[in-house]
């Protein structure tokens, strides 16, 4: 399969995972990489147009493959993409934003935190993107590319002035991911954030912080390293191939009512992030509810 055919297979969602095209892209890494970068550049420049055309998917294949390739030239492009308006990002990516963007950023940053930190500290960026960027720093620790103390020290600057003190998903993510790193040095900052009403207790409660703190540093970091939600991208086929939208449709057990209206195609992964609200509606964090 040549590069032109690979790109054609990536362009639109057609109901099945483009496995052969992904495998061909990996085999032709040097030839395909410039084209994948071009896809990201084009996506940033024409995001609204591509979204309006519907079923656009090339950018998702591109980001996963470039993450697998550890392609640092993709880093500034993905940061620019992440700065698109939140509703547009949700339409283009759906659950990729909260489930995979952080791991992709960690995979392409080459250890350079500048772009990730610019997302976290940008009040104009989507709050879910900013929270995911915080997650990417924890992923770098889990992968052994950054020291835990360096990231905890940066988190301290967020608690102590770099973040505006108003309730948001950014504060939820900061407390949650501080806890993933064993937050002994940050406990007073975390308690103050709860006192000031900056954190949603249904997302992560102070008792959850204290419970994770009781694991000790070694226990917390061991748990982090074993958590699949904090791993760099290594296999695009494994990452994307099992998404819900690629599942083969089985025949319906009975004929649908004529009044039934089909929902538009979305591209979510069939998983819920451990730090996301539980889908059961309890208001609790998934890892503290049905994911326990």
């Amino acid at each position: 399969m040549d590069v032109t055919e690979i790109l054609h297979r990536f362009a639109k969602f057609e109901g099945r995972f483009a496995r052969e095209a992904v495998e061909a892209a990996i085999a032709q890494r040097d030839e395909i990489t410039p084209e994948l970068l071009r896809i990201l550049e084009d996506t940033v420049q024409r995001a609204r147009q591509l979204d309006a055309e519907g079923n656009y998917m090339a950018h998702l294949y591109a980001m996963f493959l470039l993450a697998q390739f550890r392609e640092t030239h993709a880093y500034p492009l993905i940061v620019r993409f992440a700065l698109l308006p939140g509703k547009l990002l949700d339409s283009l990516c759906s659950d990729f934003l909260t489930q995979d963007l952080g791991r992709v950023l960690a995979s392409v940053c080459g250890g350079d935190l500048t772009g990730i930190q610019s997302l976290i500290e940008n009040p104009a960026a989507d709050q879910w993107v900013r929270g995911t960027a915080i997650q990417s720093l924890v992923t770098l620790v889990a992968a052994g590319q950054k020291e835990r103390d360096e990231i905890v020290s940066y988190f301290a600057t967020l608690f102590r002035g770099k973040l505006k003190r108003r309730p948001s998903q950014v504060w939820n993510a900061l407390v949650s991911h501080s806890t993933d790193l064993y937050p002994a040095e940050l406990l007073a900052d975390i308690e103050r954030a709860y006192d000031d009403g900056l954190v949603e207790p249904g997302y992560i409660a102070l008792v959850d912080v204290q419970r994770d703190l009781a694991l000790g540093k070694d226990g917390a970091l061991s748990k982090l390293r074993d958590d699949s939600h904090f791993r760099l991208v290594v296999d695009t086929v494994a990452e994307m191939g099992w998404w819900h939208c690629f599942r083969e449709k089985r025949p319906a057990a009975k004929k649908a009512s004529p009044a039934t209206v089909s929902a538009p195609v979305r591209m979510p992964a069939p998983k819920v992030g451990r730090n996301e609200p539980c889908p059961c509606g309890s208001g609790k964090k998934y890892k503290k509810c049905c994911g326990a």
Side-chain angles (χ1 to χ4, degrees):
M1 188 182 299
D2 63 19
V3 170
T4 300
E5 178 61 20
I6 293 170
L7 298 177
H8 175 72
R9 298 281 185 91
F10 287 169
K12 297 285 185 178
F13 172 73
E14 296 180 349
R16 61 185 295 271
F17 176 57
R19 178 184 296 269
E20 297 84 357
V22 169
E23 291 172 345
I26 294 169
Q28 301 174 65
R29 172 175 173 170
D30 291 343
E31 295 83 1
I32 201 70
T33 293
E35 298 301 322
L36 299 176
L37 293 170
R38 180 192 58 77
I39 286 171
L40 292 187
E41 181 73 44
D42 185 56
T43 301
V44 172
Q45 293 180 356
R46 300 196 301 125
R48 292 192 183 279
Q49 176 185 340
L50 293 168
D51 180 54
E53 291 172 0
N55 292 341
Y56 179 62
M57 203 161 191
H59 60 312
L60 297 177
Y61 284 112
M63 283 190 279
F64 272 109
L65 283 166
L66 291 166
Q68 179 177 335
F69 296 163
R70 303 293 183 267
E71 179 52 64
T72 56
H73 289 95
Y75 185 31
L77 294 172
I78 294 173
V79 169
R80 286 171 55 198
F81 174 76
L83 287 172
L84 293 172
K87 288 185 178 180
L88 181 57
L89 284 172
D90 182 63
S91 183
L92 284 168
C93 298
S94 191
D95 289 348
F96 171 84
L97 289 181
T98 53
Q99 306 297 335
D100 301 298
L101 176 60
R103 296 171 54 242
V104 167
L105 282 167
S107 297
V108 300
C109 74
D112 175 13
L113 304 186
T114 306
I116 293 170
Q117 291 174 341
S118 72
L119 288 174
I120 295 170
E121 297 170 26
N122 186 344
D126 177 76
Q127 63 172 334
W128 291 94
V129 166
R130 296 172 70 193
T132 298
I134 291 173
Q135 178 187 352
S136 72
L137 299 181
V138 180
T139 299
L140 289 169
V141 175
Q145 294 193 5
K146 288 293 175 182
E147 293 295 327
R148 175 256 180 200
D149 290 354
E150 177 185 355
I151 302 305
V152 168
S153 293
Y154 173 65
F155 284 177
T157 69
L158 298 176
F159 276 109
R160 299 167 192 174
K162 282 193 173 181
L163 290 186
K164 187 171 182 178
R165 299 187 70 81
R166 65 180 181 187
S168 72
Q169 173 58 22
V170 187
W171 280 96
N172 291 339
L174 179 58
V175 169
S176 177
H177 295 310
S178 294
T179 301
D180 290 319
L181 293 177
Y182 181 72
E185 304 95 317
L186 301 172
L187 185 57
D189 298 290
I190 291 172
E191 291 173 339
R192 182 185 172 199
Y194 279 103
D195 289 342
D196 292 348
L198 303 176
V199 186
E200 173 52 55
Y203 188 87
I204 180 169
L206 185 56
V207 66
D208 298 323
V209 176
Q210 294 165 339
R211 186 179 299 119
D212 286 348
L213 195 61
L215 294 172
K217 181 186 287 188
D218 291 343
L221 294 180
S222 176
K223 180 181 177 183
L224 173 64
R225 287 189 292 269
D226 290 339
D227 193 327
S228 62
H229 294 91
F230 296 98
R231 292 179 185 168
L232 301 178
V233 175
V234 296
D235 184 348
T236 299
V237 173
E239 296 285 352
M240 295 184 68
W242 64 293
W243 284 8
H244 180 73
C245 63
F246 295 132
R247 289 181 176 177
E248 293 184 4
K249 304 296 188 296
R250 296 182 178 180
K254 59 181 180 179
K255 187 174 181 180
S257 166
T260 300
V261 179
S262 297
V265 172
R266 298 295 298 276
M267 290 171 281
K271 58 185 178 181
V272 178
R274 64 193 290 275
N275 295 311
E276 301 304 317
C278 189
C280 76
S282 67
K284 295 182 179 180
K285 200 171 179 181
Y286 177 67
K287 73 175 182 180
K288 303 300 181 183
C289 190
C290 295

